[in-house]
Amino acid sequence: MELKLSFPADSPPLAVIAAAKIAGVPISTDPTLTPGSTPIIHLDNGLKLRGNFVLLRHISRVANIPDLYQRDAIESSQIDEWLEYAPIFASGSQFEEACGYVDGYLLQHTFLVGHSLSIADIAVWSGLAGTGKRWESLRSSKKYQNLARWFNSILAEFGVLNEVTTTYVGKKGSVKPTASKVNEQQGSNANLAKVNGDAADKEKESRKPTSEVDLPEAEVGKVRLRFAPEPSGYLHIGHSKAALLNQYFAERYQGEVIIRFDDTNPDKESNEFVDNLLKDIETLGIKYRTVTYTSDYFPQLMEMAEKLIREGKAYVDDTPREQMQKERMDGIESRCRNNSVEENLKLWKEMIAGSERGTMCCVRGKLDMQDPNKSVRDPVYYRCNQTPHHRIGAKYKVYPTYDFACPFVDAFEGITHALRSSEYHDRNDQYYWIQTDMGFRKVHIYEFSRLNLVYTLLSKRKLLWFVQNGLVEGWDDPRFPTVQGIVRRGLKIEALIQFILEQGASKNLNLMEWDKLWATNKKIIDPVCPRHTAVIEERRVLLTLSNGPDDPFVRIVPKHKKYAGAGEKATTYTKRIWIDYDDAVSISVNEEVTLMDWGNAIVKEIQKDQEGNVTHLSGILHLEGSVKTTKLKLTWLPESDELVKLSVVDFDYLITKKKLEEDENFVDVVNPCTRKETPALGDSNMRNLQRGDVLQLERKGYFRCDVPFLRPQKPIVLFAIPDGKQQPVLRFAVPDGKTK
């Protein structure tokens, strides 16, 4: 049902129009009301709704997108608060103050309310967009980075907003009148965010970004996608790209995603993997309609296999596997290819029974053994396997291959578009051929490039080798490219999502550096993570300040000087303090240095042992000295029993080669030293760290707490988080450090 929206030509209700565009609510516009009039929606029954907020709430209630407004009592009230706040952006004198307020709020929030888009986001977004060049100049600057990130992400997700701003926002920075109706067609003009390529190429004939891609023959509201991992390992960063792209297209076309476990190989699969894959999917924020299993369709798949055998489109083959592989490569037809239907059905029953004769056989599709594309040279459809299935036990002795099951279940479940990485390109013909033989409609395939990263293995078989050989702690090891592994290392999911979506749905193959991902992560954690102090325990040096406080005293200082939300910490000041050995050897006699968060000091004496190692420093406080004149800014800790023990852990890549060649054995390039632990001392405030907390050790980097404080003799374990800079790994290693 189309709504009619009337408004004054000089003040179109930008938020209402934007909400309708995003929500898939068709409207016609009538910009003929007298200036100063309240916008009106005319309903079919003759009733009228008036006022921006009333119209926004109405659109949210008839929207195709859930939860735009109708949430629990608290979140709905929070949305109301933001709706009342949004008009402040139209006030010239308060504009930048409002930008600063929302920018600060968005430091720790992806959306204004809850964890998904609401009309609060649309109202504030429209308030900013409506100021035109004033906001555009700030958006391109670095003044309000969180606000710009949020604004850009909404524009990227709902490219149709470009049409709204083009039509209604004037070049001089105010909402402009329009004399023509807006094209309200939904979906066909939705734009994929421009995340690759040159901004100069942005304009095309259709006003689409150059990187925009469309799903073939996609209809808004009718797109159904599936993310179909095999439960034979944990979700890794490559799978994450597939999952997030499925969600992206589902949201863009107002469709849905289902999660399907491709559980056709009982030798590799387990409930542990199912449970953890669901956990990882939840971590990524993937919204799905339902969870299914290929094993749900085993009866139908067996019926289909028998149907194809009866139709002469499949046959049973007892050729030994190695010989079969060679014949496929050479284009030689199997001697079983022309067996009678009766003989094939007889052997098929032997396979189902799991008899000795049956286990020698497999079912193959009768496609084309001379096709240059080897994937269509009579692929295997079914094999015998006596291993009990993790869900259904020992009920079946035959299992379908992925090549057979995938096109069947995709069609059976009503999938409209199957997203597959380009490594499967040669199997697309096979997929379509099998679907045709089965008598199903065509499911469209959309290819995207596989995510490849330097020094990284993404094969689950190879990752399993590391687990089984004890070279890592498990699938959540921080050296692993699994979602659980990189999150345990200290990566924020927001950074992973941003990193993947910036690549878009491109089909271009490339080898990505980890540095970009970790640099994105740093931008998220640096503005908010608390600062603490640590000193490497080995060969630490005592600095005695002769005029320092005889009685230690405590000051309460912020954990982050630019972000009050990080909280406060207690810093103890004493006349005897610890500094790192590397700092001690950098100091000269009578040199003035800065003790961070205290002031300057002058080192008067340096004591060394017989081997020339610095063992003690003596000096005086010189608090009136200027910190601008000192070369060395030193972190320090008080000599105190309250210090906590730390184990600072740094990691290297699991392999030593940037990219493996196809015929190269990864075992030959396994890195023998990928983990080093360095004992350190930390400030007493670190007793309050919780597992998963991210912090910065000043002058040492960013860390994630993996094991919190339990008792004085057990160290807090901190994992070093890369910051995206090219730097030596294992930088905290010491000669006697523990390695693995």
Side-chain angles (χ1 to χ4, degrees):
M1 179 181 68
E2 186 175 78
L3 300 177
K4 180 181 178 182
L5 173 66
S6 299
F7 54 86
D10 63 347
S11 56
L14 204 62
V16 176
I17 298 170
K21 287 283 189 180
I22 290 172
V25 177
I27 61 171
S28 61
T29 56
D30 174 25
T32 60
L33 293 185
T34 58
S37 298
T38 301
I40 300 172
I41 280 182
H42 304 265
L43 303 177
D44 279 354
N45 58 9
L47 295 177
K48 299 177 181 179
L49 301 176
R50 292 179 172 84
N52 281 297
F53 300 157
V54 172
L55 304 190
L56 271 175
R57 293 185 182 100
H58 177 73
I59 286 174
S60 71
R61 292 182 177 112
V62 299
N64 292 324
I65 300 177
D67 301 329
L68 276 179
Y69 177 67
Q70 293 171 291
R71 304 186 182 182
D72 60 40
I74 293 177
E75 288 197 0
S76 293
S77 299
Q78 290 175 324
I79 292 173
D80 287 334
E81 282 187 322
W82 282 108
L83 293 182
E84 292 183 9
Y85 185 80
I88 196 172
F89 292 101
S91 173
S93 60
Q94 296 179 286
F95 178 76
E96 288 217 30
E97 181 182 343
C99 288
Y101 171 74
V102 182
D103 182 73
Y105 179 83
L106 288 170
L107 269 172
Q108 293 185 304
H109 298 82
T110 303
F111 298 98
L112 294 179
V113 179
H115 302 289
S116 61
L117 185 82
S118 72
I119 54 173
D121 297 284
I122 297 172
V124 173
W125 190 95
S126 301
L128 287 167
T131 64
K133 281 195 171 182
R134 183 170 190 185
W135 164 241
E136 285 303 313
S137 64
L138 289 172
R139 178 184 168 199
S140 59
S141 72
K142 295 183 178 180
K143 189 169 184 180
Y144 302 114
Q145 293 185 22
N146 302 299
L147 185 59
R149 167 186 54 77
W150 166 86
F151 185 95
N152 293 338
S153 68
I154 292 176
L155 185 59
E157 186 167 355
F158 302 101
V160 71
L161 292 174
N162 283 314
E163 178 188 330
V164 177
T165 55
T166 299
T167 305
Y168 293 103
V169 180
K171 295 181 180 180
K172 294 184 178 180
S174 60
V175 175
K176 71 176 183 179
T178 179
S180 61
K181 293 185 178 181
V182 181
N183 177 6
E184 300 300 332
Q185 181 183 4
Q186 297 295 310
S188 61
N189 291 327
N191 294 330
L192 173 63
K194 174 171 172 50
V195 293
N196 293 313
D198 204 348
D201 298 328
K202 192 172 183 179
E203 287 297 326
K204 277 193 170 183
E205 184 176 324
S206 61
R207 294 184 178 270
K208 296 180 180 179
T210 57
S211 65
E212 178 186 347
V213 292
D214 295 308
L215 293 180
E217 299 182 28
E219 296 182 47
V220 173
K222 296 183 180 180
V223 169
R224 185 176 173 92
L225 305 158
R226 62 19 175 206
F227 175 55
E230 180 186 8
S232 58
Y234 286 37
L235 204 71
H236 62 55
I237 190 170
H239 302 132
S240 301
K241 179 175 182 179
L244 290 166
L245 285 177
N246 271 284
Q247 172 152 292
Y248 170 80
F249 281 117
E251 292 179 347
R252 176 179 167 190
Y253 288 102
Q254 299 169 27
E256 62 185 19
V257 177
I258 65 170
I259 303 300
R260 182 203 307 147
F261 288 105
D262 177 39
D263 54 344
T264 59
N265 188 347
D267 289 335
K268 297 181 179 181
E269 298 154 4
S270 72
N271 288 322
E272 174 202 351
F273 294 137
V274 170
D275 294 341
N276 281 281
L277 284 166
L278 287 172
K279 175 182 176 181
D280 296 338
I281 288 167
E282 181 180 355
T283 298
L284 289 174
I286 304 300
K287 301 172 185 175
Y288 54 88
R289 177 69 178 272
T290 188
V291 175
T292 66
Y293 297 80
T294 298
S295 56
D296 294 337
Y297 307 100
F298 277 179
Q300 295 93 327
L301 282 159
M302 292 179 67
E303 290 175 6
M304 178 57 72
E306 184 166 326
K307 174 178 176 289
L308 294 179
I309 291 173
R310 291 184 182 278
E311 293 175 353
K313 296 177 181 177
Y315 61 97
V316 179
D317 193 350
D318 63 357
T319 305
R321 180 172 294 195
E322 293 76 12
Q323 180 182 339
M324 185 187 300
Q325 290 173 343
K326 185 177 187 305
E327 288 178 351
R328 288 192 70 195
M329 293 298 294
D330 296 339
I332 300 172
E333 291 186 1
S334 167
R335 59 179 175 77
C336 302
R337 196 173 198 267
N338 295 313
N339 283 351
S340 68
V341 170
E342 291 73 22
E343 177 66 13
N344 285 325
L345 288 174
K346 178 182 174 182
L347 291 174
W348 170 237
K349 287 181 171 57
E350 295 282 351
M351 289 180 63
I352 293 173
S355 68
E356 182 178 354
R357 176 75 176 114
T359 56
M360 300 170 62
C361 302
C362 68
V363 177
R364 296 177 67 182
K366 189 181 287 187
L367 276 61
D368 185 351
M369 285 298 293
Q370 275 67 53
D371 196 296
N373 182 349
K374 294 181 176 62
S375 75
V376 297
R377 293 182 180 180
D378 292 8
V380 174
Y381 285 175
Y382 259 93
R383 284 197 177 99
C384 286
N385 192 326
Q386 306 283 356
T387 304
H389 191 275
H390 68 95
R391 290 186 71 224
I392 51 183
K395 181 177 180 180
Y396 295 99
K397 302 296 188 292
V398 290
Y399 289 90
T401 61
Y402 173 84
D403 289 341
F404 182 72
C406 184
F408 177 91
V409 182
D410 279 350
F412 198 85
E413 290 189 329
I415 301 303
T416 60
H417 297 80
L419 271 61
R420 308 212 304 189
S421 62
S422 52
E423 64 186 303
Y424 290 100
H425 176 76
D426 288 345
R427 297 166 96 147
N428 291 350
D429 290 343
Q430 177 203 86
Y431 178 95
Y432 289 134
W433 192 320
I434 293 173
Q435 274 187 345
T436 300
D437 279 357
M438 290 176 172
F440 286 131
R441 62 171 178 78
K442 178 180 178 181
V443 175
H444 296 287
I445 291 176
Y446 179 79
E447 291 183 344
F448 60 89
S449 64
R450 175 175 171 166
L451 179 60
N452 295 302
L453 290 151
V454 296
Y455 300 106
T456 302
L457 301 171
L458 293 178
S459 162
K460 286 185 285 187
R461 176 183 62 83
K462 295 173 183 177
L463 295 177
L464 180 62
W465 181 88
F466 282 91
V467 175
Q468 292 176 334
N469 285 276
L471 298 182
V472 294
E473 297 174 5
W475 288 91
D476 67 343
D477 190 284
R479 291 162 288 190
F480 256 19
T482 55
V483 170
Q484 292 186 36
I486 55 181
V487 167
R488 190 175 170 205
R489 181 78 180 267
L491 187 79
K492 293 296 183 182
I493 285 298
E494 302 94 305
L496 177 60
I497 293 173
Q498 183 177 334
F499 174 75
I500 288 175
L501 292 184
E502 279 180 354
Q503 298 172 54
S506 168
K507 299 182 183 182
N508 298 325
L509 294 173
N510 50 23
L511 187 64
M512 303 290 292
E513 298 282 349
W514 280 95
D515 293 344
K516 184 177 181 181
L517 175 59
W518 290 116
T520 300
N521 192 60
K522 178 185 174 182
K523 291 178 182 178
I524 293 172
I525 64 176
D526 180 73
V528 297
C529 71
R531 272 55 171 165
H532 289 277
T533 303
V535 170
I536 303 301
E537 189 169 17
E538 184 179 7
R539 297 196 295 180
R540 65 190 187 280
V541 175
L542 200 62
L543 168 58
T544 300
L545 302 165
S546 59
N547 62 339
D550 293 322
D551 297 318
F553 66 92
V554 176
R555 286 178 183 162
I556 304 300
V557 298
K559 290 181 180 178
H560 191 307
K561 293 178 182 177
K562 296 181 179 179
Y563 177 57
E568 296 178 324
K569 61 183 178 181
T571 300
T572 302
Y573 298 81
T574 65
K575 67 188 308 175
R576 291 163 61 86
I577 61 175
W578 292 111
I579 64 172
D580 282 314
Y581 181 82
D582 285 347
D583 285 337
V585 299
S586 301
I587 301 172
S588 304
V589 174
N590 292 322
E591 182 175 0
E592 186 165 359
V593 298
T594 296
L595 304 175
M596 293 177 62
D597 292 328
W598 194 350
N600 285 4
I602 300 174
V603 176
K604 294 294 187 179
E605 181 183 355
I606 300 175
Q607 297 179 20
K608 299 182 179 180
D609 61 18
Q610 293 180 347
E611 297 177 353
N613 297 315
V614 176
T615 58
H616 187 267
L617 301 176
S618 300
I620 59 171
L621 284 173
H622 186 235
L623 299 182
E624 62 271 25
S626 172
V627 298
K628 296 180 180 179
T629 62
T630 57
K631 181 177 68 173
L632 298 177
K633 320 292 183 188
L634 308 181
T635 44
W636 56 275
L637 288 172
E639 184 189 37
S640 167
D641 295 335
E642 294 299 311
L643 300 181
V644 296
K645 289 182 176 292
L646 306 176
S647 177
V648 180
V649 186
D650 208 355
F651 302 97
D652 198 357
Y653 298 113
L654 288 172
I655 58 175
T656 58
K657 191 167 183 181
K658 206 167 191 178
K659 181 184 178 182
L660 285 182
E661 303 303 325
E662 286 189 14
D663 58 347
E664 195 166 6
N665 188 349
F666 74 95
V667 177
D668 296 335
V669 292
V670 169
N671 191 344
C673 180
T674 59
R675 172 185 174 123
K676 287 203 174 182
E677 302 176 20
T678 303
L681 297 175
D683 66 68
S684 60
N685 302 277
M686 296 171 72
R687 295 171 184 265
N688 299 319
L689 288 174
Q690 301 297 314
R691 188 172 194 267
D693 284 353
V694 171
L695 63 146
Q696 183 188 66
L697 293 181
E698 295 196 278
R699 298 178 62 232
K700 289 180 172 62
Y702 302 93
F703 297 84
R704 176 191 170 275
C705 177
D706 193 63
V707 179
F709 180 83
L710 298 173
R711 55 183 181 273
Q713 296 307 311
K714 187 174 178 61
I716 297 169
V717 179
L718 301 179
F719 287 170
I721 304 173
D723 61 6
K725 296 179 180 178
Q726 292 282 355
Q727 59 185 6
V729 293
L730 306 176
R731 58 193 181 280
F732 296 103
V734 294
D736 298 322
K738 180 181 177 184
T739 65
K740 180 178 179 181

